[in-house]
Amino acid sequence: MNIPIQPRIPYTVAVVGTGPRGISVLERLAVLLRDGGGDPHPVHIYAVDAVEVGAGRVWRTDQDDWYTMNTVIGQVTMFSGEPDGGRPRPGAGPSLGQWLEDYAPADERRPELGPDDFASRRDYGRYLRFVYRTITDELPSHVRLIPVRAQVTAVRPGPLGDYEVTLDDSRTLTADKVVLATGHPRNEPGDFDRAMLRFAEGRPTVRYLGGDSAADMDLEGAVRPGATVAIRGLGLSFYDVLLSLTVGRGGEFVRGEDGRLRYVPGGREPRVVAGSRSGLPIPVRGRNQKDPGYVHPALFLTQEAVAAARARRLSATGSALLDFAEDILPLLLKEVEHVYRTTHVRARAGAAAAEEFARQHAGMLACDDDTSVLLKEAGLEDVPALDLRALARPFTGEAFPSHEAWHERLFAVMRRDLDEAVLGTLDGPLKAALDALRDLRGVVRSAIDYGGLLPESHRDAFLRDYAPVNALLSAGPPMVRTEQLMALMEQGLVEIVGPDTRFAADGASGRFVVHSPQVAGSERTAEVLIDARIPTPALPRDSSPLTRQLLDEKVIREFVNSDAASGTEYATGGLDIVQGSFRVRDGAGRAHPGLYALGIPTEHVRWFTQIGNGRPGVATDFMKVADTVARELLAPLAAGQGPQERRTLAAEAVLVGHDARSHG
């Protein structure tokens, strides 16, 4: 008698969102499943994305090529290991730069780009698609990767320890494990947004566009040629909007024989008036001189220093929570000051003199000794100390009698920034110091993540005071962006209004009004107002149906930083997760057995989750998180618990609980 063999129930994982974070998890899953050995259990992996499976929304491959990355292509990879001479595969694949040179289709290669240049977001999306196809092609036979293009509207725990994933096309997927890698949110309008939207209602030529990726804004429909458009924010997204309204309308930047850029209008441009709190367009990144694997060797802000600060706090107050302004910022400032001064010495006196200076300077900073004599001996007594706040807010306290006076001052700051950037990230004192901020992020994370700071310090000293300064000074665009902006300003197509820019609606004129209280005669009006700031992650304001369902049904909760010793707390807006496993906590604080989150939804629980790539040859946090989550997802299989066994155990637990209640 032949007894039929029952097919084994596939172990199922759903990855919601297939931008860089989702792809990173898929890549590590592919490596672990390939190298797992033993009796292979069938595995199904759903890759779910509402826009483009394998690239996501922000990096989708149909966007215009003037939207660029702000990381040089030689420092970008999505593979967890470098090429080894074999075929590209999970665990051993090319960086973005290597792909553009050797693996991209002929019509997608960019021979003009070197490792220190910047690729378009569309090119990065194509690279992500390459990584996704490599994963698909290299999966072992017992694993299926199933692409699903749909929006997830709900995730609900099932009765047997699994999860029901509801899609907007009425399909439902059942998964043993679910990963939320949903990326940048679209937030509900805030008070200012609602006021501007109400003002625009009933005025056909007046439009307000809230913050979002510029590629997803209706810029063509909202902004008529020749109209005046006000732009709020002068960060990275400002340049995306600006290029859409210029190059995107037929204009062209041409470099003259003198090396300067000039703008040739296409004829359909609007006039732009823009501003921000600082009044400063985001400074540019320095010319890259660093190998992909280079990491600044921290001397002061180290993991050991953070641990020692916690021990002191615990001994003094009974709480290990840190004060950012007292415990972390002074160490960080020592790091950047040391790089700044040492680079100055190297530029003036050579490597040997810089090495000896660095030895003495580091020792004095470590002991908080006066360095003035050493600086004088090195010829640096007239070089001002590095002031991050002054760099980020260079016009604080200044008043300008006219637009011309303001324009002259702004141009001087922008030109000086370009001059510093040309010197490079190793040879230029300023950009070398600011670039070190990027390498210090990991240590800063260890101090602040998962409520490592006192609640008030987290909210005020870190998020309000330091984080915006860090973002402005360490995450800038390529140098050409400032050159392009200056060319547009010289053409009279763009005007930066001034510091502390105010945006409002004027009922009398039926237009938006913009002005700077620091610049006389700065008031300008506009028919269109665009918020060119990427929305800050904040669960209570996230408009996605999925987030609303998860919050309403208490499947997730907002992370609240609390200090039992003082009784204070701060609701961060981030998605609460378990440290070390990235499992999501439900409304009661319990960790889900099979629901995980990483990346931008967890911002404010973790810091600087916007990073969307690894670095070749460096064990970055980006790759470590992906590996941790992938191992968590496969842990039941490693323990010999396939879905049938696990669901049987879950069903027995339900029956035991029911029996206990009925006899209680």
Side-chain angles (χ1 to χ4, degrees), residues 66-109:
W66 53 75
Y67 302 124
T68 59
M69 306 182 70
N70 67 313
T71 303
V72 296
I73 61 177
Q75 294 183 0
V76 174
T77 189
M78 281 299 301
F79 288 96
S80 53
E82 296 187 82
D84 59 4
R87 67 189 184 282
R89 62 196 185 279
S95 69
L96 171 60
Q98 292 166 333
W99 176 78
L100 284 169
E101 182 176 353
D102 298 327
Y103 296 98
D107 61 341
E108 295 180 10
R109 297 191 180 184

Side-chain angles (χ1 to χ4, degrees), residues 317-335:
T317 68
S319 170
L321 301 186
L322 301 175
D323 185 304
F324 183 79
E326 294 181 7
D327 299 321
I328 302 302
L329 186 59
L331 300 175
L332 184 148
L333 294 178
K334 285 182 180 180
E335 292 283 359

Side-chain angles (χ1 to χ4, degrees), residues 162-186:
D162 51 14
Y163 292 84
E164 299 295 320
V165 180
T166 304
L167 309 178
D168 61 354
D169 58 10
S170 300
R171 285 181 292 171
T172 299
L173 311 175
T174 300
D176 296 285
K177 302 275 189 177
V178 177
V179 179
L180 302 177
T182 49
H184 285 284
R186 285 185 166 118

Side-chain angles (χ1 to χ4, degrees), residues 341 345 357 360-361 364 369-382:
R341 298 290 190 181
V345 174
F357 172 85
Q360 296 183 54
H361 191 245
M364 298 175 112
D369 291 341
D370 182 4
T371 62
S372 58
V373 173
L374 178 64
L375 295 179
K376 184 174 182 179
E377 291 174 350
L380 302 182
E381 69 271 25
D382 294 329

